[in-house]
């Protein structure tokens, strides 16, 4: 089954997305998400200028061989741009394989290991009261798990606090927004937030929190320890994870479960964290960590060490990525939870999908392949708009992780 055509579709229905569409000689096509937030066109060029010429004429059924050809054949290893491009090809080929065999992709991955996939939503507010209100709204919608981020007294902006109750979008057109950060103010505030949350909502709901790479190891240890009475489902990205050994220090001090990996792009980024059991959830995604094929290898390594999956699923993962994630989540044995940040109405109009949400759980649906499609005509009405993620500075002006 020869690949006869492939193209990159860049559009901005509510936010920017890069989508790869691969077509075969018998007219079947598959989709892959290639969106790298704030650096979208680098991946679009990598695909159009360097990868697509290699795809034409290849057998679309050879998913693993194509992965190895693009990975080893590049000579230059790993990195977010390369791995996002490989992810898009891999995802599109799994979609084609499912369509050609007339089965949903999860059936090709060993079948369902569960009935449905637990997801978590994002509640946020400018202060504790409005944050509590946002959590109540998510519980009303049936969510069993909620990530909670709140404005901190004395700080003008905080990671994860959105403009509306159900929509959080950090990328902004124009120059990158600049935020100011105080670890002291943040560390003093967060335990009070979670104390209130447990008082209001009891112990059954799963609560999560994202530190977004901002603390030092000993600060992260203090935060994890102070949150133990409120038994979080996880504390995410407590420190920048380039220094994997730093998690040993955090781990020695706290039983709060840790989740890391949304910015990782290969199994080698996860290896030490998993093998030393320094984390509890690995957050690598289909779109940024080498597609369904490579994510399965990460999950298999994690399974050996009792680490579960918790794929990143913010708005910059397109519905193509979310669909692929749900097929993966439904099938792997050591699935933990899936992040699900709802997309805007414009995004939902451009990308139709078979996946559904009900009562805090999602299912990829039983359409052949991934069960997701793109309306190219409508997509063309939303041209790309350059946008950047914010940058962050400490109160004295020093650049800090955002
Ligand atoms: O900041 O997806 O857990 N979710 C997150 C996200 C990330 C964005 C970056 O593109 O940390 O909101
Ligand atoms: Co995160």
């Amino acid at each position: 089954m020869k690949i006869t055509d492939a193209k990159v579709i860049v559009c901005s229905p509510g936010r920017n997305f890069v989508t790869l569409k691969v077509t075969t000689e018998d007219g079947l096509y598959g989709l892959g998400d290639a969106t790298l937030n704030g650096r979208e066109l680098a991946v679009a060029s990598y695909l159009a200028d360097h990868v697509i010429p290699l795809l034409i004429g290849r057998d679309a059924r050879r998913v693993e061989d194509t992965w190895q050809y693009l990975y080893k054949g590049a000579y230059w290893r790993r990195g977010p741009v390369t791995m996002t491009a490989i992810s898009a090809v891999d995802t599109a080929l799994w979609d084609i394989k499912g369509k050609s065999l007339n089965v949903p992709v999860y059936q090709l991955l060993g079948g369902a290991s569960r009935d449905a996939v637990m997801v978590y939503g994002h509640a946020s507010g400018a202060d504790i009261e409005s944050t509590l209100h946002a959590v109540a709204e998510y519980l009303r919608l049936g969510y069993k798990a909620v990530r909670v981020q709140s404005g901190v007294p004395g700080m003008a902006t905080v990671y994860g606090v959105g403009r509306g109750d159900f929509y959080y979008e950090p990328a902004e057109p124009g120059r990158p927004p600049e935020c100011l950060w105080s670890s002291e103010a943040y560390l003093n505030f967060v335990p009070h937030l979670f104390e209130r949350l447990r008082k209001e909502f009891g112990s059954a709901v799963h609560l999560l929190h994202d530190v977004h790479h901002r603390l030092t190891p000993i600060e992260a240890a203090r935060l994890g320890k102070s949150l133990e009475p409120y038994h979080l489902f996880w504390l995410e990205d407590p420190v920048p994870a380039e220094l994997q050994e730093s998690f040993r220090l955090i781990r020695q001090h706290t039983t709060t479960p840790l989740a890391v990996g949304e910015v990782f792009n290969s199994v080698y980024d996860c290896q030490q964290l998993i093998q030393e059991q320094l984390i509890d959830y690995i957050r690598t995604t289909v779109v940024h960590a080498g597609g369904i094929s490579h994510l399965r290898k990460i999950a298999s390594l994690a399974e050996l060490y009792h680490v579960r999956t918790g794929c990143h699923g913010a708005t910059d993962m397109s519905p193509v990525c979310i669909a692929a994630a749900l097929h993966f989540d439904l099938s792997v044995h050591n699935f933990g939870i899936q992040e699900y940040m709802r997309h805007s109405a414009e995004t939902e109009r451009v990308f139709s999908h078979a996946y559904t949400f009900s009562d805090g759980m999602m299912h990829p649906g039983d359409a052949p392949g991934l069960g997701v499609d793109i309306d190219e005509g409508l997509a063309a009405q939303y041209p790309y708009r350059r946008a950047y993620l914010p940058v962050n500075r400490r109160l004295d002006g020093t650049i800090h992780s955002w």
Side-chain angles (χ1 to χ4, degrees):
M1 190 196 294
K2 277 201 171 65
I3 295 171
T4 49
D5 187 32
K7 66 173 163 177
V8 180
I9 303 160
V10 181
C11 62
S12 192
R15 71 157 354 277
N16 291 320
F17 293 112
V18 179
T19 308
L20 177 69
K21 181 173 183 175
V22 177
T23 306
T24 64
E25 59 190 342
D26 43 14
L28 286 177
Y29 64 87
L31 299 178
D33 183 17
T35 308
L36 184 63
N37 206 0
R39 298 292 186 269
E40 296 86 1
L41 299 184
V43 185
S45 161
Y46 192 108
L47 283 167
D49 296 328
H50 305 292
V51 172
I52 285 176
L54 304 175
L55 294 181
I56 308 301
R58 290 187 68 83
D59 185 344
R61 294 171 300 189
R62 297 184 65 169
V63 183
E64 180 67 20
D65 182 67
T66 301
W67 195 99
Q68 299 294 344
Y69 184 83
L70 294 175
Y71 184 83
K72 297 198 163 75
Y75 183 65
W76 311 105
R77 299 292 163 96
R78 303 153 63 185
V81 175
T82 297
M83 295 306 284
T84 301
I86 294 176
S87 299
V89 175
D90 184 81
T91 308
L93 295 188
W94 278 105
D95 192 17
I96 289 170
K97 192 177 285 292
K99 286 176 176 172
S100 70
L101 298 172
N102 204 31
V103 289
V105 166
Y106 75 83
Q107 292 292 8
L108 302 173
L109 305 177
S113 284
R114 54 196 51 79
D115 301 329
V117 167
M118 181 166 74
V119 298
Y120 69 91
H122 281 218
S124 67
D127 54 25
I128 291 191
E129 296 311 317
S130 55
T131 305
L132 293 177
H133 175 77
V135 173
E137 286 293 291
Y138 273 95
L139 297 182
R140 200 176 49 75
L141 288 174
Y143 281 83
K144 301 175 196 321
V146 186
R147 186 189 88 159
V148 188
Q149 311 291 133
S150 167
V152 175
M155 281 169 64
T157 55
V158 174
Y159 163 75
V161 177
R163 290 181 275 263
D165 276 354
F166 293 106
Y167 195 68
Y168 170 65
E169 182 51 75
E172 296 268 4
R175 305 282 298 177
E178 298 228 352
C179 309
L180 274 183
W181 174 253
S182 160
S183 294
E184 292 74 18
Y186 170 79
L187 284 167
N188 288 334
F189 169 74
V190 175
H192 297 296
L193 170 66
F194 280 87
E195 187 185 6
R196 275 296 301 279
L197 285 163
R198 282 299 175 208
K199 267 202 192 112
E200 295 284 332
F201 300 110
S203 57
V205 59
H206 296 303
L207 297 176
L208 299 81
H209 183 69
D210 191 349
V211 183
H212 222 250
H213 329 268
R214 283 157 183 224
L215 298 177
T216 66
I218 200 68
E219 288 169 345
R222 168 183 156 194
L223 181 63
K225 205 167 178 176
S226 66
L227 291 175
E228 280 171 21
Y230 318 116
H231 50 93
L232 268 58
F233 187 93
W234 79 35
L235 186 66
E236 178 179 333
D237 288 329
V239 295
E242 289 97 327
L243 183 68
Q244 304 209 340
E245 298 95 302
S246 70
F247 282 81
R248 291 184 189 144
L249 190 149
I250 306 171
R251 209 58 162 167
Q252 280 158 13
H253 288 284
T254 181
T255 57
T256 295
L258 302 173
V260 179
E262 67 181 46
V263 301
F264 292 176
N265 51 68
S266 85
V267 69
Y268 303 106
D269 298 323
C270 318
Q271 201 173 1
Q272 183 176 14
L273 292 174
I274 290 173
Q275 290 183 324
E276 287 190 32
Q277 293 172 277
L278 299 176
I279 57 171
D280 301 279
Y281 297 91
I282 185 70
R283 282 183 48 68
T284 40
T285 55
V286 170
V287 57
H288 299 134
I292 292 171
S293 298
H294 196 68
L295 207 57
R296 289 178 85 203
K297 295 179 187 182
I298 295 174
S300 296
L301 177 70
E303 186 180 359
L304 298 181
Y305 294 94
H306 298 205
V307 172
R308 292 193 283 166
T309 68
C311 293
H312 189 201
T315 44
D316 46 308
M317 320 297 112
S318 89
V320 179
C321 177
I322 297 298
L326 292 169
H327 286 276
F328 167 83
D329 297 338
L330 197 68
S331 65
V332 291
H333 176 69
N334 56 323
F335 163 77
I337 198 166
Q338 170 68 48
E339 182 177 25
Y340 176 52
M341 232 201 255
R342 286 161 184 270
H343 286 112
S344 71
E346 296 109 302
T347 303
E348 294 278 331
R349 278 195 290 274
V350 168
F351 295 92
S352 54
H353 53 77
Y355 62 76
T356 50
F357 171 91
S358 162
D359 227 15
M361 309 292 282
M362 291 182 76
H363 193 282
D366 281 300
L370 295 174
V372 62
D373 208 350
I374 183 168
D375 180 336
E376 289 185 61
L378 193 54
Q381 293 174 26
Y382 297 99
Y384 175 76
R385 295 188 305 161
R386 186 178 3 257
Y388 289 102
L389 288 168
V391 294
N392 206 19
R393 292 184 190 276
R394 296 204 287 269
L395 299 183
D396 69 355
T398 310
I399 287 279
H400 195 70
S401 300
W402 173 72

